[in-house]
Amino acid sequence: MHGRIRRRVDALPTPVSRRLRRLWLSSVPITQCAVAAGLAWWIASVALDHAQPFFAPIAAVVSLGLSLAKRWRRAVELVAGVTIGILAGDLVISWIGSGTWQIMVVVAIAMSIAVFLDDGPLLPMQAASSAALVATLLPPGGAAGIERAIDALIGGVVGILVVALLPMNPAARSRRDAAGVLATIRDAAADLASGLRAGDAEVVSDVLARARGTQGEINTMRADMAGGREISAISPLYWSSRQRLQRIAATADPIDNSVRNFRVVARRALAMTQGGEVLRPEIIEIIDDLSGAYEILRAMVLAPPGGEPDEADAARVLRTIARKARVDLVADSSMSETTILAQLRSLIVDLLMVAGLQRSSARATLRD
């Protein structure tokens, strides 16, 4: 069923299918935010009988957000920022009254306290917005100020509880992110080999642009891997996944490094193609083989525990490519060709590390 829906979405125009996939990937965080907002409001308004406890759902939503990463930190920063803003607003406005210059003063004081306490961006922003609300719309002082601070605490706690009790599968999202980056470079490597064989600078230039455009995907991958580890620490449902998440997270640096090395290869290949230089066929073949290496690594990342291909299968493919990437290929070559082979050898080391090897073992594989 899921496969049929995915094929139908893929058949839609690209802008529409991209937006639908983005919505699907965000469906669990959206649900978490909606549930947390409602629960926080109910607890503050019904259980505690607070009048208009709008800080509670706001705190719940902001502490969760759509990103998996640093939810603990966001919740703490939010509650602290709102508390600072409310207390500063209550104290200062009660003393100097409300008005234009008073808003300036209270916002400056709240932000100054927040910046002094922490260097994160969320804390001063929440302190400033809360102080501004107190200075403009809310009556300062008394029990209302304490209730607003409690509402913010309720929202932050509810947000974390919702993550623990209604989590998304952290391993699945991390694996999907890593597989997406690997698939992008898989296709780029195949196109780069084709462009080099044809001496087509336009194709090589397009490959370089696509490789450079992966940084957003890599940043998302890193954030989701960090968020996955956080979820596995918070939620009892995924305590058993901690070791697997650690293995997935360990691939972040080598995947990132392999993409950076691929960009260097593509950039140097573009300069050669534009200058009319021809890269020797043996090196082009290595680039083409790397497309298959990225594919088996992509399949490895998506395989279920104990499934195939596994790390040993991926390492076997990469060792075959490593044997081709001999230093003597460029014994009498130009600087550009020598540089490309050197980057390819570094890239192979990165991919061997994605396949589970330590850096020393991966580098030993390339010894001539």
Side-chain angles (χ1 to χ4, degrees):
M1 180 68 177
H2 183 267
R4 288 201 301 269
I5 295 174
R6 184 169 56 189
R7 285 193 294 272
R8 289 177 182 174
V9 170
D10 291 340
L12 295 171
T14 301
V16 177
S17 64
R18 186 187 304 119
R19 285 166 172 79
L20 287 173
R21 282 195 296 270
R22 184 170 66 231
L23 177 61
W24 170 252
L25 294 177
S26 300
S27 59
V28 172
I30 289 172
T31 302
Q32 290 175 330
C33 288
V35 171
L39 282 176
W41 174 269
W42 184 87
I43 292 171
S45 64
V46 177
L48 299 181
D49 197 29
H50 290 181
Q52 296 183 329
F54 55 82
F55 273 116
I58 290 173
V61 171
V62 175
S63 66
L64 288 173
L66 295 181
S67 171
L68 299 185
K70 299 182 178 178
R71 284 179 161 182
W72 273 111
R73 181 176 175 85
R74 280 207 304 268
V76 172
E77 285 185 341
L78 179 89
V79 172
V82 170
T83 303
I84 290 169
I86 290 171
L87 294 178
D90 281 336
L91 292 175
V92 176
I93 296 301
S94 298
W95 180 43
I96 65 175
S98 59
T100 302
W101 69 268
Q102 289 92 337
I103 293 174
M104 297 179 186
V105 170
V106 75
V107 168
I109 290 174
M111 293 187 74
S112 298
I113 295 171
V115 170
F116 177 79
L117 294 176
D118 188 79
D119 61 353
L122 181 59
L123 186 62
M125 292 300 99
Q126 287 300 321
S129 59
S130 301
L133 281 172
V134 172
T136 56
L137 298 177
L138 303 176
I146 297 174
E147 287 184 2
R148 288 193 285 268
I150 293 173
D151 292 342
L153 178 62
I154 289 170
V157 172
V158 168
I160 296 302
L161 289 176
V162 166
V163 170
L165 301 177
L166 296 175
M168 67 181 300
N169 188 327
R173 185 157 177 169
S174 299
R175 289 161 53 207
R176 185 180 60 239
D177 291 340
V181 174
L182 293 167
T184 299
I185 305 302
R186 172 201 64 194
D187 297 341
D191 291 344
L192 179 58
S194 298
L196 287 169
R197 288 191 180 105
D200 192 331
E202 185 175 343
V203 171
V204 177
S205 178
D206 177 67
V207 168
L208 178 57
R210 283 153 54 193
R212 285 172 170 167
T214 58
Q215 196 56 50
E217 295 179 65
I218 291 171
N219 294 342
T220 299
M221 176 190 73
R222 285 184 174 279
D224 285 346
M225 286 178 177
R229 290 198 303 271
E230 188 174 293
I231 289 174
S232 70
I234 295 172
S235 175
L237 299 177
Y238 289 105
W239 284 348
S240 61
S241 300
R242 289 177 184 173
Q243 190 172 15
R244 190 174 189 208
L245 277 163
Q246 288 174 354
R247 289 198 300 270
I248 295 172
T251 67
D253 283 342
I255 289 175
D256 191 354
N257 291 337
S258 79
V259 174
R260 293 175 189 274
N261 278 317
F262 182 83
R263 290 174 191 151
V264 176
V265 170
R267 186 166 63 248
R268 180 67 69 169
L270 178 60
M272 289 186 67
T273 307
Q274 290 173 334
E277 296 183 70
V278 178
L279 191 63
R280 66 177 58 212
E282 295 89 346
I283 297 179
I284 297 176
E285 183 181 347
I286 293 171
I287 295 172
D288 208 2
D289 289 344
L290 285 173
S291 176
Y294 274 106
E295 169 54 26
I296 196 169
L297 288 170
R298 185 198 68 84
M300 179 200 78
V301 166
L302 292 176
E308 295 182 348
D310 58 14
E311 291 180 341
D313 296 324
R316 194 176 304 115
V317 170
L318 285 160
R319 287 191 179 100
T320 300
I321 300 172
R323 285 193 290 270
K324 294 181 178 182
R326 306 182 314 274
V327 172
D328 60 19
L329 281 178
V330 292
D332 57 351
S333 295
S334 66
M335 179 63 71
S336 293
E337 221 166 34
T338 303
T339 301
I340 287 178
L341 182 63
Q343 292 299 145
L344 289 173
R345 286 167 63 88
S346 294
L347 194 157
I348 292 168
V349 169
D350 296 330
L351 296 187
L352 283 166
M353 292 176 66
V354 176
L357 274 71
Q358 296 296 319
R359 176 169 288 278
S360 57
S361 300
R363 293 181 66 180
T365 303
L366 282 165
R367 288 175 182 165
D368 293 314

